[in-house]
Amino acid sequence: DAKTTQPTSMDCAEGRAANLPCNHSTISGNEYVYWYRQIHSQGPQYIIHGLKNNETNEMASLIITEDRKSSTLILPHATLRDTAVYYCILGNNAGNMLTFGGGTRLMVKP
Amino acid sequence: KAGVTQTPRYLIKTRGQQVTLSCSPISGHRSVSWYQQTPGQGLQFLFEYFSETQRNKGNFPGRFSGRQFSNSRSEMNVSTLELGDSALYLCASTLDGHLTDTQYFGPGTRLTVL
């Protein structure tokens, strides 16, 4: 069963913020929300993760709703190199197994 | 620090053959996970090894197996290859295999079964 739901694709203008939503209404109390991205022909790349507080690092910000049923990944100033498939994943509480859904194909356009 | 390396990068086999893929994790990392990526099924978890023991396993048939050595390097084996096994096989390493550990992925091995 899919545990996360993401839009199939999104477009973003270069230099603008890209906001990628993810629904995870069945998230359990000890599951983390992870974001990875995969650029064509490369392995997935870690972006950010969080439990319930908003997080920020050099790549992106992660906003998690108070009820933890959804989150948004924000790339503050998207560049053409950010074109990739972005995966929202819940960390499996039986270990560190990641279950990838379909992801969102983000196309950054000039 | 060197990243996760996988060998070979590309492989062509025929149905019925077997194949062994290798993964060297980041130095100091003790957990290695394997994933299969296909256009139709996306990225699916195969199994995870920690300290030479398989700790988690996905829903794949017994033809898919793996092992981990004392230096944390891992191998994945697929026996009696089928056309549907054509995929990109990715391995990822983490420090201790904890839930909050970041997974670092290798570039993958692209297997084509003819």
Side-chain angles (χ1 to χ4, degrees):
Chain A
D1 292 341
K3 297 184 69 176
T4 63
T5 305
Q6 299 176 253
T8 304
S9 64
M10 289 181 63
D11 289 344
C12 178
E14 187 179 17
R16 304 296 294 269
N19 297 299
L20 292 91
C22 179
N23 288 323
H24 31 79
S25 58
T26 60
I27 190 171
S28 58
N30 59 354
E31 283 188 306
Y32 283 73
V33 179
Y34 292 83
W35 283 84
Y36 281 75
R37 72 180 182 184
Q38 189 171 24
I39 297 169
H40 183 63
S41 298
Q42 297 181 24
Q45 176 191 24
Y46 167 82
I47 301 173
I48 198 167
H49 76 278
L51 183 62
K52 52 185 176 182
N53 296 322
N54 297 337
E55 302 288 344
T56 296
N57 63 20
E58 65 278 5
M59 288 183 68
S61 295
L62 173 61
I63 308 298
I64 302 174
T65 57
E66 193 168 339
D67 62 8
R68 303 212 319 127
K69 293 185 176 182
S70 65
S71 60
T72 301
L73 177 74
I74 301 172
L75 307 177
H77 305 286
T79 70
L80 299 179
R81 288 175 295 181
D82 292 323
T83 292
V85 178
Y86 287 78
Y87 295 96
C88 168
I89 301 155
L90 300 184
N92 186 292
N93 59 8
N96 70 339
M97 178 183 84
L98 298 180
T99 301
F100 286 77
T104 296
R105 185 171 297 276
L106 175 69
M107 180 72 70
V108 180
K109 299 183 175 180
Chain B
K1 188 183 278 191
V4 178
T5 58
Q6 293 185 246
T7 57
R9 291 294 311 278
Y10 301 92
L11 204 51
I12 298 175
K13 292 283 188 179
T14 56
R15 279 182 298 174
Q17 287 187 307
Q18 75 164 18
V19 67
T20 299
L21 311 181
S22 181
C23 172
S24 293
I26 291 173
S27 178
H29 284 195
R30 297 190 292 165
S31 168
V32 174
S33 297
W34 287 89
Y35 294 83
Q36 181 197 65
Q37 187 171 32
T38 59
Q41 298 294 323
L43 223 158
Q44 295 184 288
F45 173 79
L46 280 155
F47 30 64
E48 182 232 354
Y49 285 87
F50 179 79
S51 292
E52 303 178 62
T53 301
Q54 188 182 88
R55 195 163 59 170
N56 288 298
K57 189 176 189 305
N59 293 325
F60 278 81
R63 301 185 297 108
F64 292 82
S65 63
R67 60 178 176 169
Q68 186 180 34
F69 301 95
S70 58
N71 62 357
S72 294
R73 188 177 70 85
S74 178
E75 287 182 346
M76 192 194 98
N77 186 75
V78 188
S79 62
T80 320
L81 283 167
E82 301 176 359
L83 295 179
D85 296 333
S86 293
L88 179 68
Y89 290 88
L90 293 157
C91 84
S93 76
T94 73
L95 190 60
D96 287 314
H98 293 154
L99 180 61
T100 57
D101 284 350
T102 299
Q103 293 207 21
Y104 295 89
F105 284 82
T109 293
R110 185 163 296 282
L111 171 66
T112 301
V113 182
L114 303 176

